[in-house]
Amino acid sequence: MNIALVCNENILAPKAKKLREKWGFTAQKSEQFQLRLLPEHLALEQLDDKQQGLVFVDFASGAVAHRRKFGGGKGQSIAKAVGMKAGVELHVIDATAGLGRDAFVLASLGCYVDMVERSPVAAALLEDGLERAYLDAEIGDWMQQRMRLTHASGYDYLQQHQADVVYLDPMFPHKKKSALVKKEMRVFQGVVGADLDADDLLDVALNAAKYRVVVKRPDYAPFLNDKKPSMSIKTKKNRFDVYVKQAIGG
């Protein structure tokens, strides 16, 4: 899918040109989706439904920051799923980074997270969010230490890299449009699409992980590659399927 990157402010035109060259975006108008370079951030927009709103990555404020401060810390389901424990710093590969929210939660709890994202649109949004977060007075220092981004296929990356834990959250087609699917995620999924090769990720993830692989799934989705996990941790709308290889620290 060819995505246009538009910029209405002359002062931002050089940056827009660099982004087009780096990510392969066009300057021609799109019919359904486009990226807009604004003074505040890079944002994804659905042109045929303006009510959906803009999608962008913001690690320093909004819902993500609220979750960092009030989300329950290491008592959160995701922290239990990856096996966080006192005195152990985990290196995590998030091989399907998306908008980076789960990766950010793990990094805020002390993990070192390598985000891997194959979609150029998602990767560009992530990079924009990271650049702003790295400069933030409150979170910038540890963000620079604990969160990195690679634009690549998760499958290819996992064949060449290893980590303590591999985290997978492959895009899964939703049953229907509902209030459970946030508007911005509908826009994002409309561009990125479902990860149709998700089943293939599990085996390479198991080879790349030292301790465990964690797969986030909608509560109605089957196990990835029909492989039963060691355990599942259920939340209100999702579950974390955990494939344990060995005890952490063991």
Side-chain angles (χ1 to χ4, degrees):
M1 179 186 293
N2 288 328
I3 297 290
L5 188 153
V6 300
C7 173
N8 296 329
E9 300 197 27
N10 291 334
I11 193 171
L12 296 175
K15 182 177 181 180
K17 184 173 182 290
K18 287 182 180 179
L19 287 172
R20 292 188 194 106
E21 291 173 350
K22 178 174 182 176
W23 299 106
F25 304 137
T26 71
Q28 300 173 353
K29 186 177 180 183
S30 304
E31 292 184 3
Q32 190 173 8
F33 300 99
Q34 71 178 14
L35 286 162
R36 287 175 60 189
L37 181 59
L38 304 168
E40 304 84 11
H41 48 242
L42 181 68
L44 176 65
E45 178 181 27
Q46 184 169 343
L47 296 171
D48 57 358
D49 188 354
K50 297 287 188 179
Q51 291 184 340
Q52 296 285 29
L54 299 177
V55 177
F56 57 93
V57 174
D58 184 4
F59 294 117
S61 61
V64 177
H66 185 273
R67 184 176 173 188
R68 173 175 63 86
K69 296 175 181 177
F70 308 109
K74 293 183 179 179
Q76 296 179 70
S77 296
I78 189 173
K80 295 176 181 177
V82 301
M84 296 193 70
K85 56 197 299 187
V88 179
E89 293 182 339
L90 293 174
H91 171 210
V92 179
I93 294 175
D94 181 349
T96 53
L99 292 173
R101 289 174 182 167
D102 287 343
F104 176 77
V105 170
L106 293 174
S108 72
L109 296 175
C111 296
Y112 293 84
V113 186
D114 288 324
M115 297 186 296
V116 184
E117 177 52 53
R118 67 178 177 182
S119 162
V121 172
L125 292 171
L126 275 173
E127 183 179 74
D128 178 69
L130 281 176
E131 288 176 351
R132 285 180 283 108
Y134 286 166
L135 300 175
D136 185 82
E138 185 178 2
I139 67 173
D141 287 346
W142 62 259
M143 284 283 291
Q144 291 182 53
Q145 295 174 22
R146 298 185 206 155
M147 287 188 76
R148 297 181 299 182
L149 171 66
T150 299
H151 172 43
S153 154
Y155 184 90
D156 293 341
Y157 188 89
L158 290 172
Q159 289 184 310
Q160 301 174 27
H161 297 82
Q162 293 187 316
D164 297 322
V165 178
V166 175
Y167 183 80
L168 303 175
D169 182 12
M171 200 76 77
F172 191 81
H174 289 275
K175 293 179 180 178
K176 59 183 179 180
K177 290 185 177 180
S178 70
L180 296 178
V181 186
K182 293 180 179 179
K183 286 185 177 181
E184 65 175 18
M185 286 309 297
R186 289 186 210 150
V187 178
F188 184 66
Q189 291 178 10
V191 172
V192 176
D195 289 312
L196 300 178
D197 59 348
D199 284 340
D200 298 331
L201 275 175
L202 185 56
D203 284 341
V204 292
L206 286 166
N207 286 331
K210 181 178 180 180
Y211 297 123
R212 61 178 60 184
V213 174
V214 177
V215 183
K216 185 178 181 180
R217 301 292 271 168
D219 53 10
Y220 56 83
F223 297 135
L224 203 58
N225 205 22
D226 291 326
K227 185 177 179 67
K228 186 177 180 180
S230 307
M231 62 180 174
S232 293
I233 299 173
K234 296 182 179 180
T235 66
K236 189 174 181 180
K237 303 172 187 175
N238 303 293
R239 70 173 192 273
F240 296 101
D241 293 335
V242 183
Y243 300 83
V244 178
K245 294 183 67 178
Q246 62 173 309
I248 290 177

